[in-house]
Amino acid sequence: MESQSERPWRIVVGVTGGIAAYKAVSVIRSLVLLGHRVDVIATEHALRFVGRPTLEAISRNPLRTDLYENVATVQHVALGQQADVVVIAPATANTLAKIANGIADDLLLNTVLASRAPLVVAPAMHTEMWQHPATQANARRLDERGVTIVGPDSGRLTGTDEGPGRMSEPEDIVAAVLATARAGARDREERLRGRDLEGRHVLVTAGGTREPIDPVRFLGNRSSGRQGVAVATRAAARGAEVTLVAANIEVPEPDGVNVVRVSSAEQMATACLELAPRQDVIIMAAAVADFRPEHVLDGKIKKEQTGDALTLTFTKNPDILRSLVLARVPDQTIVGFAAETEEDDDARLELARAKRERKGCDFLVLNRVGWNEGFQREDTEVQIIDERGEVVAESTGEKLSVADAILDVVARER
Ligand code: C5P
């Protein structure tokens, strides 16, 4: 399920003349129910499969079909320019061929040509038409041009035949449209923002430390490393020289980033303190264990030896963030994280302010965690507080855009 906080996109849905047009109604309905603004453009042929009243009622907007309607508002240019994403579902072989060749002989094709928004197409046709070398060549051209092609799926077609050519399921199309809209918005923001961290040295920690108990067991936490990896990814995209100190991350290492793999808090401390003097910015997103078992046993603990209860003694780990703040070099910006389970917003903010003061970092990123919040998830919600304890930024959504919000604060400060 999409996060409810996803920003509302302006989406143009093009419907072309194939039997799968009836499934376009579900695509439109889902997008509208998720809070997005949908403008539907149907071709003349599409209207033989699905009626104008249906498309207008479901999209809650007037249907557009004719290039020569409302000429004064130049609707194909207006719709194309305002759209965050354009999706064509179903996209017939004829439509794919025309888009691949830049043909614009109806309102939908004019809109596609007049738009800089990312394009998603969901082809739907008989297997022979999909596999025809002409269609395959057109699809390849669209793919090379950065168009997102969803499907087609393989399965039951209109008649009794089966094979590739069936339009993807509406939920898959909706997911692709939203992912494409987000990626498009990120590209736009990136073009505006440029490479504002060019040449900066940025150290990021990610993941959760594991504190060994014996050769096979450890004490760990549920951090997946997603947020730290997202910060490293975005910092590199914004031009920084990034070193990622990764503790047991569950997501792939980002490209273009120097990765140092560690496991325990002590290993992370050693790596960070060694790297720190060369850094302009340090962002401590990792979940570091506060304690480790005092003694690591050489052999596996056996239940026959322990009886019904097992007592372990723990000793305090170094506070890496605090050590880095104490060893800080001039002009270095240090960002800490606080994951709090406190449910009351004000009380949570107070905890974060106190933590920022204890740690002495420049900024603290506060997020709420719980059994179903924060960890292991693709999206998150954070508040960023500064040295005066003021909330200088708030960000909700994908961890990549939250990463950008954190880096925006750092870039502004520098
Ligand atoms: O003290 P607490 O764990 O709540 O603080 C969280 C922040 O401190 C995070 O930025 C985390 O990476 C860092 N930390 C650390 N060393 C520890 C514990 C936490 O650097 N031993």
Side-chain angles (χ1 to χ4, degrees), residues 17 32 43 123 202 315 361:
V32 169
T43 62
V202 177
T315 185
C361 49

Side-chain angles (χ1 to χ4, degrees), residues 15-18 21 41-51 55:
V15 185
T16 70
I41 304 177
T43 62
E44 288 296 330
H45 291 143
L47 291 181
R48 300 197 176 214
F49 292 93
V50 53
L55 294 171

